[in-house]
Amino acid sequence: MALRFYNTLTRSFEEFKPINPPRVGIYSCGPTVYGSSHIGNYRAYIFADILKRTLSYLGYEVKQVMNLTDVDDKTIRDSQKAGKSLRDFTEYFTQEFYKDRDLLNIASADIYTKATDYINEMVSIIETLLAKGYAYKSEDGSVYFSIEKDKEYGKLSHLDLGTLKEGASGRIKADEYEKDNVHDFALWKSWDKADGDAYWETSLGKGRPGWHIECSAMSMKNLGQSFDIHTGGVDNIFPHHENEIAQSECATGKTFVKYWMHNGWLLVDEKKMAKSLGNFYLLQDLSERGISPLVFRYFLLGAHYRSKLNFTWEAIGGARTAYERLAAEIFELPSHGNINQNYKNKFTEFISDDLGTPRALALIWEILKDSTLEPADKKATILDFDKVLGLGLDKLEPLILPYNVQALLKEREEARRAKNWQLADEIRRKIEGLGYVV
């Protein structure tokens, strides 16, 4: 089966045909480093990781670039609250992101780009847009993109251009805004007192870049003016990715990105998980309940990346039971087997169909139940699949439960043997209270 992805730009499934095969360029929107990333953010980064691993598994030469937004409204605001320089403040959370990345077994991007290292590239793009008439300076010296001048504005988010032009007479300086705020957006923000020491002296004047221009500069510098895939969460479609397309294509006259891929939201209580709503969890919150980052990864792979996924403690508990059972079974299998080609063909078919990880996981359980396969061949085949899934199945260690949990399990078993079901249930609830599912 040919590799195909759902392209947000065309709202259709398309066979993947890279611009310069076998090389593939991917740009992934990464974290804004003003705080610890929550588990909703990590759905986007795990999705991008699965994409990269899939392409590598299928023989492509992948170059992935991920940005680290270290200057924007939020980083400036919170660094000032913390009484730290912008660089020191954002570097701390950058390192926190790297730690979480490793715990989640996310393969490192080939290049991580900090926005503050690309100011010259941003200025160059903005100057080109000014020269071509797509941008203009406001009274305070800020530079804005004129969406009226871009006849294709709205093509990614499928906004109605007629409606846009009616409501596009104003402009907006904030980095992030809602879909009904369709105004000219800031490319360069002139300095004001609220920015403190976060500014650069350039040909555009004293100021700092807008959020959207950062990603255009970082991606094109490292992947070229046209590249294959851009990833991010659905919340990035508008305004961020829409604005990236507008400023990039108007500056270069070329197609910016061929395939746009977006993951669905991770919900909590059926609402979008977000720092602004205060309804988010960190990896640390999971760890405090005895849930490993790889269990969370397993939980995400059980749903298609484009679907909405509701996070509940019950659901993650079920994922934990499944993952620990999977790990235990694979750990007991002998090594040095051969990869079963029939199962490998099925796996390749599933992941080639827009990264079908739910079917890929189901296939692993099918293999474990297949009595016709040699145990060593089962292990070799599953470990081959894990090159894509990244569940750490090649680095398993015996599951060692804490002493208090082991003691409770022993007590429960004794209660069950004595048919004291009430006591057994009480002990089970104690164990679950410690974060373990029986």
Side-chain angles (χ1 to χ4, degrees):
M1 178 181 180
L3 177 62
R4 69 171 196 157
F5 298 131
Y6 183 82
N7 189 349
T8 306
L9 183 65
T10 61
R11 295 293 198 272
S12 64
F13 291 97
E14 297 180 18
E15 182 178 347
F16 178 64
K17 295 180 179 180
I19 298 170
N20 295 304
R23 295 189 295 276
V24 177
I26 303 175
Y27 184 82
S28 299
C29 272
T32 300
V33 284
Y34 73 107
S36 297
S37 296
H38 60 66
I39 60 175
N41 300 137
Y42 282 116
R43 188 179 194 194
Y45 311 145
I46 289 174
F47 146 60
D49 182 51
I50 295 294
L51 171 63
K52 180 182 180 181
R53 287 170 177 267
T54 295
L55 290 165
S56 298
Y57 185 83
L58 297 176
Y60 292 98
E61 299 171 8
V62 183
K63 180 180 181 181
Q64 183 194 27
V65 177
M66 178 177 282
N67 72 294
L68 303 167
T69 299
D70 62 348
V71 57
D72 78 328
D73 294 347
K74 292 180 289 191
T75 54
I76 292 171
R77 177 196 67 201
D78 287 6
S79 64
Q80 291 174 349
K81 285 182 181 178
K84 295 183 178 180
S85 70
L86 184 65
R87 181 170 293 276
D88 289 346
F89 179 78
T90 56
E91 181 60 25
Y92 172 81
F93 289 108
T94 297
Q95 295 305 317
E96 290 297 296
F97 166 71
Y98 290 153
K99 291 175 185 176
D100 284 353
R101 173 202 65 188
D102 295 343
L103 290 172
L104 287 162
N105 202 26
I106 297 173
S108 176
D110 299 282
I111 301 174
Y112 287 101
T113 58
K114 293 184 177 182
T116 52
D117 292 334
Y118 289 78
I119 300 299
N120 290 339
E121 287 78 6
M122 297 174 206
V123 170
S124 178
I125 295 172
I126 295 169
E127 287 178 334
T128 298
L129 291 170
L130 282 167
K132 288 187 172 185
Y134 289 108
Y136 61 91
K137 277 197 172 186
S138 66
E139 300 81 4
D140 71 348
S142 297
V143 181
Y144 288 86
F145 183 90
S146 176
I147 63 174
E148 277 192 337
K149 298 291 181 66
D150 181 9
K151 304 307 179 185
E152 294 191 329
Y153 190 86
K155 65 181 179 180
L156 180 69
S157 49
H158 288 218
L159 298 173
D160 181 73
L161 283 176
T163 302
L164 292 187
K165 289 179 180 178
E166 290 175 12
S169 58
R171 49 183 176 248
I172 190 163
K173 199 170 183 179
D175 285 326
E176 296 181 83
Y177 45 92
E178 299 300 323
K179 197 167 185 175
D180 57 359
N181 264 331
V182 183
H183 297 297
D184 294 349
F185 57 91
L187 298 167
W188 185 259
K189 301 182 179 187
S190 62
W191 181 85
D192 61 37
K193 291 181 180 180
D195 292 334
D197 61 358
Y199 66 85
W200 286 261
E201 295 279 7
T202 74
S203 59
L204 299 172
K206 180 180 179 180
R208 63 180 176 91
W211 174 37
H212 313 296
I213 197 66
E214 296 177 0
C215 284
S216 288
M218 291 184 282
S219 61
M220 290 196 289
K221 175 68 174 180
N222 290 284
L223 296 172
Q225 293 180 341
S226 298
F227 56 92
D228 297 295
I229 304 174
H230 197 312
T231 72
V234 290
D235 50 323
N236 287 143
I237 295 174
F238 187 90
H240 187 45
H241 291 169
E242 191 72 69
N243 292 350
E244 276 190 68
I245 291 174
Q247 63 203 12
S248 301
E249 295 188 352
C250 288
T252 68
K254 300 178 181 179
T255 297
F256 178 42
V257 175
K258 194 172 181 182
Y259 303 92
W260 288 87
M261 298 178 68
H262 296 91
N263 62 278
W265 278 325
L266 181 64
L267 307 174
V268 58
D269 299 325
E270 301 297 340
K271 296 179 182 178
K272 175 191 172 184
M273 187 179 296
K275 290 180 180 177
S276 59
L277 298 176
N279 64 342
F280 63 92
Y281 296 109
L282 307 178
L283 280 185
Q284 181 181 345
D285 297 319
L286 273 61
S287 297
E288 288 174 356
R289 295 202 182 203
I291 297 167
S292 82
L294 291 179
V295 167
F296 176 65
R297 186 178 178 110
Y298 183 94
F299 169 72
L300 293 182
L301 299 191
H304 192 271
Y305 77 89
R306 286 190 293 109
S307 66
K308 291 181 180 178
L309 178 59
N310 193 42
F311 177 88
T312 66
W313 291 110
E314 181 181 5
I316 197 71
R320 175 182 176 172
T321 299
Y323 178 79
E324 290 182 353
R325 178 185 157 202
L326 173 65
E329 290 197 31
I330 292 174
F331 182 78
E332 295 297 327
L333 293 174
S335 301
H336 311 299
N338 297 309
I339 297 170
N340 182 278
Q341 194 59 47
N342 289 332
Y343 278 115
K344 183 179 177 73
N345 291 342
K346 284 185 180 181
F347 178 78
T348 301
E349 176 187 345
F350 295 161
I351 61 167
S352 295
D353 186 12
D354 198 31
L355 310 180
T357 57
R359 289 200 293 171
L361 284 182
L363 189 64
I364 288 179
W365 291 107
E366 184 180 329
I367 290 170
L368 289 172
K369 294 175 183 177
D370 190 340
S371 60
T372 67
L373 280 185
E374 291 293 329
D377 293 349
K378 291 182 180 182
K379 187 169 189 173
T381 305
I382 292 170
L383 291 185
D384 179 65
F385 298 173
D386 202 43
K387 294 174 183 176
V388 172
L389 302 177
L391 293 170
L393 301 178
D394 59 334
K395 300 173 183 177
L396 295 174
E397 297 178 357
L399 180 61
I400 301 176
L401 294 171
Y403 176 79
N404 60 332
V405 177
Q406 293 184 44
L408 286 170
L409 284 171
K410 186 177 180 180
E411 288 180 29
R412 181 173 181 269
E413 188 58 34
E414 290 173 355
R416 286 168 60 84
R417 278 199 296 266
K419 296 186 179 180
N420 188 341
W421 308 120
Q422 182 177 351
L423 178 59
D425 284 345
E426 289 176 3
I427 297 171
R428 175 179 56 79
R429 286 192 288 271
K430 287 183 181 179
I431 294 171
E432 291 176 347
L434 294 170
Y436 293 85
V437 179
V438 181

